Amino acid sequence: MGLFRNSLCAMALSLFAASAGNAATLLEPTLHVKPQGVEGGGGRVALTLDACGGKTDTRILSALVDNRIPATIFVTGIWLKRNAEAVEIMRAHPDLFELENHGGRHIPAVDTPQKIYGIRSAGSPDAVQAEVESGAAALAGAGGPAPRWFRGATAEYSPSAIAMIRRLGFKIAGFSVNGDGGSLLGAKETARRIGAAKDGDVIIAHINQPTHAAGEGVVQGLLALKQKGMTFVRLDDAEGIGNDGTTD
C-alpha cells in the first residue's frame, strides 16, 4: 500500500513538473519613444489608450479633442462593433487619433494554455495568429489605414508569440508608464502617475471604462503634462524602441 501511494505521489510530481516546464515564461515588454531632449521640463511622450470592450469614456475622448492631444488607440473587434459613434469622432480627427490592433476578442497573446489576470490565454500558436489577424480585419472593416502596431490583452506575451506577431508584420506596443493600473486605480493616483511621465515615456491607460474614477485621473494627468510643456506624439509619428524583440 505504501509503495502504491509513493508511486502515485511520484506520478503527481512528474505531471506537475511537466506542466511547469510547458508553461510559458511571460514577458511584459517596455516601449519608449525617442526623447526630444528639451531642457527645462519639456519633452515628448506617447499616449496609448486601450479600448478593450464595453463603452467609451467620453471624458477622455472629449479632453483629447478639445485640447488637441494626439493618442494611439488600441481597439478590439468587440469595442469597434459597440462604439460606432466614438470611432466616427476619431476618424474625423486623423491628425489626433491613430487606431491600432488590440486583437479580435481581447485574448492574451500567449500560445500555451493559462490565465493571465484571470483571462484565459489564446493557448496555441494558431489561436494567437487568429486573435491578431481578426483584430486587423476588424479595423480594416471599420475603414482607415491598416494597423501597424499590436498590443495583446493584458500586455503580456510568450516569447514565441512575440516572434509570430513580428512575422505577421506588426510591431508590439509595450509601455513605460502604467497610468491607470488597468483602469482600477483612483483618480488621484492615476493623475499622479501620468503627470509624472518623462521625456520619451509611453503611457498606457484605458478609454473603455466610463464609470471608473481612473478616467477622471487620466484627463487630469494629461492636462498636467500639457501645462508642463510636454509634446504628445502617436506611435507612428515617433521612433518607438521596445525590448524583447518587439520592434526591431
Side-chain angles (χ1 to χ4, degrees):
M1 187 69 173
L3 181 61
F4 178 69
R5 188 184 301 113
N6 289 342
S7 297
L8 287 177
C9 290
M11 289 174 61
L13 287 171
S14 177
L15 289 171
F16 175 80
S19 176
N22 289 332
T25 300
L26 301 187
L27 302 173
E28 185 179 89
T30 61
L31 182 68
H32 290 84
V33 294
K34 187 177 180 180
Q36 193 170 26
V38 175
E39 296 182 2
R44 65 179 188 168
V45 297
L47 171 64
T48 68
L49 295 169
D50 287 1
C52 311
K55 299 183 180 180
T56 302
D57 192 331
T58 56
R59 296 170 297 181
I60 299 174
L61 182 57
S62 296
L64 296 178
V65 173
D66 293 344
N67 291 279
R68 309 300 298 167
I69 296 175
T72 302
I73 316 293
F74 283 90
V75 300
T76 65
I78 298 169
W79 185 87
L80 283 170
K81 288 180 180 178
R82 300 173 180 170
N83 293 272
E85 184 176 348
V87 174
E88 185 176 346
I89 292 172
M90 292 176 185
R91 294 298 194 201
H93 296 87
D95 56 326
L96 295 181
F97 299 108
E98 168 191 341
L99 272 60
E100 297 290 353
N101 186 357
H102 197 32
R105 297 188 295 141
H106 199 248
I107 298 173
V110 174
D111 51 16
T112 56
Q114 56 185 292
K115 285 189 176 181
I116 303 98
Y117 300 118
I119 303 176
R120 193 177 300 279
S121 68
S124 71
D126 286 346
V128 170
Q129 182 170 342
E131 171 70 358
V132 176
E133 291 182 337
S134 62
L139 271 166
R148 296 177 58 188
W149 290 83
F150 175 81
R151 175 180 286 154
T154 76
E156 295 200 3
Y157 311 82
S158 51
S160 49
I162 288 176
M164 172 188 291
I165 295 164
R166 295 293 289 122
R167 287 196 298 272
L168 291 173
F170 293 94
K171 294 182 180 181
I172 296 172
F175 57 92
S176 60
V177 174
N178 186 338
D180 63 358
S183 194
L184 299 177
L185 295 176
K188 184 176 181 179
E189 176 62 13
T190 299
R192 185 195 68 78
R193 289 189 180 194
I194 292 176
K198 306 298 182 185
D199 189 13
D201 272 331
V202 174
I203 302 165
I204 184 176
H206 291 75
I207 195 170
N208 67 307
Q209 296 289 355
T211 64
H212 289 196
E216 178 185 346
V218 170
V219 174
Q220 292 173 356
L222 294 176
L223 295 181
L225 286 177
K226 186 178 180 183
Q227 184 67 30
K228 291 179 184 178
M230 280 287 189
T231 299
F232 294 90
V233 296
R234 302 174 303 180
L235 291 185
D236 257 0
D237 298 329
E239 185 180 341
I241 303 170
N243 63 352
D244 297 319
T246 50
T247 61
D248 55 11

